[in-house]
Each structure stands twice: as C-alpha cells, then as structure tokens.
Amino acid sequence: YNATIVIWGESAAAWIEVFYEITPRRSTVLTKINSLVVSPDDLDKFRAYIRDGMDAPYIVNFTLGQIFYFEYKFENALEAFNRAENEMLDEREDSVQANILYFYQAYAYGELGDYQGAIDKYSQAIQLDPEFVHAYYNRGLTYHKIEEYQKAIEDYNNAIDLDSEYVNAFVSRGNAYYE
C-alpha cells in the first residue's frame, strides 16, 4: 500500500464518470480534464473537483479514509469514513457495500481504543453481510481485548463455521478458552 489513490471524473446532471489512478506516494497526477494537476496533499480538497450527486461524495470520502487507514492515521481515517457514512443514502447501503465501510470504521475505532464503537461497527457490517468472516473474527478480537471471552469465543466459532481453514480464528479461540 505504498501508493496514493487519486479519483477524478466528469459529471453531468444525471451521471458521474469516475476515474482512479494509483501513483507512487507524494507524486503528482496529471488528469485529462483541463490539464488539472492534483497533489496527494490536496486530496482532502478533492471533493471540489467532482460534482456532488449520486455516490461521488461517498466514494471520495471512503477512498480518502483508506489512504489515511493504510498510513496508520486512524483519527483522520475515521473522520473520512464517518463523512462517507453521512453521505451514503440508506437505500444505497447494499449497492455501495457499506459493510466494508463499517469494517474499516470498526478497525479504526479499535485502534483508537474505542472498543464499544468498534464492536458496534463490526455488528453493523455483520448485519449487512452475515457471512463476513473477518468481521466476526475482528469483533471476536475486540471482545477478547475487553475480556468478554464468551462473546469472543462465539464470534471465533462463527468465523470458523464460515471458513473452516481460518487458522487465526482457531488460535484466537484457543487463547480465549485459556483466558
């Protein structure tokens, strides 16, 4: 993840055409739109380059959150992910795969020490996708951190039921039983 993700596009009243480019970190991107130059440092202002509408603000904030996430800047990531969630229309939750957004939010909450926030977001991800193995596993890890071992074991069991070769879930379950 040693890259910057840049999004740009063209829009009209009824559509938005979005382009993505991954470049070496801290480089400059030249687009095909009026020779526009976008610096990775300006990505938080990037929303101004695309028209608000449809899912564009969601996509921009989600992508910006991922950039911060993979740079281990979890406070910034969470702010961007929360903006993405606020931009998402309820009826679009499935089509924009909000379960992935909730997973990233949960992980960021956990890294910031807000374990209840993490559990809540992992639960939202699971509610949208009951077969989201990693959400069960990570929620189990979070329960484990706050010493709620029985809930952790239940989540590890769910992860194992969905993926019987998920070695980390077996190991974590064993550790929870040991605790």
Side-chain angles (χ1 to χ4, degrees):
Y1 299 106
N2 189 19
T4 299
I5 301 170
V6 178
I7 302 173
W8 72 94
E10 297 178 8
S11 64
W15 59 271
I16 295 176
E17 187 174 4
V18 179
F19 304 93
Y20 297 83
E21 184 168 332
I22 299 176
T23 64
R25 185 165 294 172
R26 302 294 173 230
S27 67
T28 300
V29 176
L30 294 173
T31 75
K32 296 174 185 167
I33 305 172
N34 301 324
S35 301
L36 174 68
V37 177
V38 180
S39 163
D41 294 330
D42 293 332
L43 282 176
D44 61 334
K45 301 173 192 165
F46 194 67
R47 182 174 172 179
Y49 295 120
I50 61 176
R51 182 178 180 91
D52 283 339
M54 295 171 43
D55 297 321
Y58 170 83
I59 292 168
V60 169
N61 284 300
F62 179 76
T63 303
L64 182 59
Q66 287 181 309
I67 291 167
F68 287 128
Y69 175 93
F70 290 116
E71 291 180 345
Y72 305 102
K73 297 178 181 176
F74 295 110
E75 285 184 26
N76 299 98
L78 192 56
E79 288 175 15
F81 290 141
N82 288 342
R83 283 193 308 268
E85 182 178 13
N86 290 336
E87 295 287 352
M88 179 178 48
L89 302 172
D90 290 337
E91 66 272 8
R92 301 281 296 148
E93 213 173 32
D94 278 340
S95 59
V96 296
Q97 296 182 315
N99 58 314
I100 305 298
L101 170 67
Y102 299 147
F103 182 87
Y104 278 117
Q105 285 175 303
Y107 192 91
Y109 276 121
E111 287 296 314
L112 295 172
D114 182 352
Y115 300 121
Q116 189 57 55
I119 289 167
D120 292 344
K121 287 298 177 183
Y122 285 129
S123 297
Q124 279 185 275
I126 291 166
Q127 183 177 359
L128 278 182
D129 181 2
E131 295 183 10
F132 196 169
V133 175
H134 298 295
Y136 282 110
Y137 176 71
N138 281 26
R139 188 174 69 179
L141 289 175
T142 307
Y143 279 128
H144 202 133
K145 284 181 183 175
I146 60 174
E147 300 179 356
E148 291 192 34
Y149 301 117
Q150 190 55 46
K151 289 181 180 179
I153 291 167
E154 289 173 22
D155 277 341
Y156 297 143
N157 284 338
N158 285 326
I160 291 166
D161 288 344
L162 292 167
D163 181 356
S164 62
E165 296 180 14
Y166 198 174
V167 175
N168 289 344
F170 282 102
V171 171
S172 296
R173 182 177 68 180
N175 289 336
Y177 275 120
Y178 180 76
E179 301 287 338

